[in-house]
Amino acid sequence: MVIILKKSHDKAQLDSLISWLKSKNFECHLSSGTSQTILGLIGDTSVLDIDLLKAMDIVGDVKRILEPYKNVNRRFHPDDTVIEVGGSKIGGGNFGVMAGPCSVESAEQIIGIAEKVKAAGANFLRGGAYKPRSSPYSFQGLRDKGIEMLLEAKKATGLPIVTEIMDISQLQYFDDIDVIQVGTRNMQNFELLKELGKCRKPILLKRGMSATLEELLMSAEYISAGGNTEIILCERGIRTFEPATRNTLDISAVPLLKKLSHLPVIVDPSHATGKASLVKSMCLAAAASGADGLMIEVHNDPAHAWSDGQQSLTPDEFKSTMDAVKHIWSFCFDALKEKSN
Ligand code: PEP
Ligand code: MN
């Protein structure tokens, strides 16, 4: 980190700043030029409050050289993190596909879809039991009953389960859930993230709809700072001025996140586009961009789905998407690897 001092600073102020920084175990390197005085800090600056420094009388500006996240930073952990759940892997050359309905509607529905997505090649079953809905009058999910149905589907198919948590109080129902999803609306629910940091199971962290990549990675850092390093990042579209799609899929987030972090990165084209007709092409784009996997909404009867039917694929559409993705992914994975070698 570099602190640029104001021209007007006096020696007493500078000495007091340096001794304060030394008391925090930073090594300080002062460089006094003709027009600018700069203080270079050596030490773990991720614990320093940059805004506090900027507010100091003698400080003109502060520039970070290293990113403010450490645990999830590829700089410090060059190897890809591989998440393994019940024999299914994501990351480090393993492509994971999570598929299933937006909401769990009944045991028959979720088991039926689980069987179909498994047969088409999905290796995780998704399904919402606790649903974050924009309207309090919309279906809110089957809650703990939905979790029980997901576990029935796990028993029937062997597929590991991914489902969303909205509040710490729901954690008691997640003992047998394999991957806990944090949705876009909770990406910065820091108390929830801290609690999930204490869990010993993978967390699927979806990007906040208005969050920068650095904010996403700082949220992942919250989880890993608590000791849970099993995190999967998910690009699910961001809010832009474009109303033609539900969100705008930020495909460049994939290679960027993979450059900045060792964590696996997956793409959710269903919530990113809000349109079933766009899902297949965005799955192919995600695979070509180097994503480690996909999360796709699949429903047995999209027209009558209790939520997000407009963006859900039928099992047949899912199968044709999977066949195309497998082809593209293995070709692109090898091509991307060659490029980075
Ligand atoms: C979901 O996956 O069902 C969901 C609500 O996703 P998001 O948080 O990305 O909107
Ligand atoms: Mn949904």
Side-chain angles (χ1 to χ4, degrees):
M1 181 180 280
V2 169
I3 302 176
I4 301 148
L5 300 173
K6 281 185 188 154
K7 282 204 177 106
S8 57
H9 73 271
D10 67 38
K11 184 160 176 348
Q13 283 177 309
L14 179 58
D15 289 346
S16 121
L17 174 60
I18 291 178
S19 63
W20 179 73
L21 288 165
K22 284 189 172 162
S23 76
K24 300 215 164 295
N25 294 324
F26 290 105
E27 221 180 279
C28 299
H29 290 269
L30 188 64
S31 136
S32 307
T34 44
S35 61
Q36 240 168 10
T37 304
I38 286 171
L39 199 54
L41 299 194
I42 297 179
D44 180 7
T45 53
S46 62
V47 297
L48 265 186
D49 183 346
I50 197 164
D51 294 323
L52 182 89
L53 282 172
K54 281 186 180 167
M56 288 181 179
D57 253 3
I58 64 162
V59 174
D61 204 0
V62 182
K63 301 253 182 262
R64 278 196 186 278
I65 295 179
L66 287 182
E67 299 79 12
Y69 43 88
K70 239 183 353 176
N71 298 345
V72 304
N73 197 329
R74 196 182 275 282
R75 217 186 270 276
F76 304 114
H77 303 82
D79 293 339
D80 285 347
T81 288
V82 180
I83 310 268
E84 181 162 10
V85 192
S88 298
K89 289 186 188 170
I90 294 197
N94 303 282
F95 197 79
V97 178
M98 307 172 171
C102 179
S103 298
V104 178
E105 298 171 12
S106 69
E108 296 68 42
Q109 174 241 19
I110 192 71
I111 293 170
I113 296 175
E115 282 164 349
K116 292 205 163 111
V117 296
K118 183 180 177 182
N123 41 9
F124 293 81
L125 175 67
R126 68 143 285 147
Y130 295 97
K131 292 303 305 174
R133 306 303 304 280
S134 301
S135 165
Y137 308 116
S138 300
F139 173 57
Q140 301 288 304
L142 295 179
R143 306 179 72 81
D144 53 315
K145 295 278 170 292
I147 299 274
E148 281 170 24
M149 293 168 191
L150 282 165
L151 295 176
E152 278 184 56
K154 176 177 170 176
K155 209 164 148 193
T157 58
L159 284 179
I161 306 296
V162 187
T163 193
E164 178 168 357
I165 192 165
M166 286 167 58
D167 187 79
I168 297 165
S169 62
Q170 295 155 2
L171 200 51
Q172 58 182 310
Y173 301 109
F174 280 66
D175 284 353
D176 298 317
I177 294 301
D178 300 279
V179 179
I180 305 179
Q181 175 175 328
V182 175
T184 193
R185 295 158 187 84
N186 270 310
M187 188 205 83
Q188 287 191 317
N189 181 341
F190 299 119
E191 290 303 313
L192 179 61
L193 300 180
K194 280 192 243 177
E195 207 56 39
L196 297 176
K198 297 181 203 156
C199 286
R200 288 298 165 264
K201 58 176 80 195
I203 308 298
L204 172 68
L205 181 63
K206 294 186 104 178
R207 180 181 184 180
M209 60 185 89
S210 310
T212 63
L213 297 183
E214 185 165 295
E215 285 164 339
L216 171 61
L217 290 166
M218 287 306 281
S219 289
E221 187 79 9
Y222 256 94
I223 300 169
S224 71
N228 186 358
T229 52
E230 304 245 282
I231 306 160
I232 303 162
L233 303 171
C234 180
E235 161 58 35
R236 48 77 68 202
I238 48 174
R239 280 278 168 94
T240 67
F241 49 83
E242 177 56 72
T245 46
R246 185 176 181 181
N247 290 287
T248 296
L249 178 59
D250 179 8
I251 204 76
S252 60
V254 176
L256 266 169
L257 285 170
K258 289 185 62 76
K259 186 171 179 214
L260 295 168
S261 175
H262 49 90
L263 297 175
V265 180
I266 70 164
V267 170
D268 171 351
S270 309
H271 291 89
T273 62
K275 286 185 161 70
S277 62
L278 300 180
V279 168
K280 183 175 184 178
S281 49
M282 292 304 98
C283 285
L284 297 178
S289 73
D292 298 293
L294 293 163
M295 170 172 262
I296 305 172
E297 285 188 340
V298 179
H299 197 279
N300 49 312
D301 181 8
H304 297 101
W306 294 4
S307 59
D308 284 351
Q310 76 292 345
Q311 65 193 36
S312 299
L313 300 186
T314 62
D316 285 347
E317 287 165 343
F318 176 68
K319 166 95 178 69
S320 112
T321 301
M322 283 299 288
D323 293 344
V325 163
K326 275 181 207 152
H327 198 67
I328 287 279
W329 186 79
S330 59
F331 173 77
C332 293
F333 181 74
D334 291 340
L336 290 169
K337 213 164 52 181
E338 271 168 34
K339 213 176 139 205
S340 62
N341 280 342

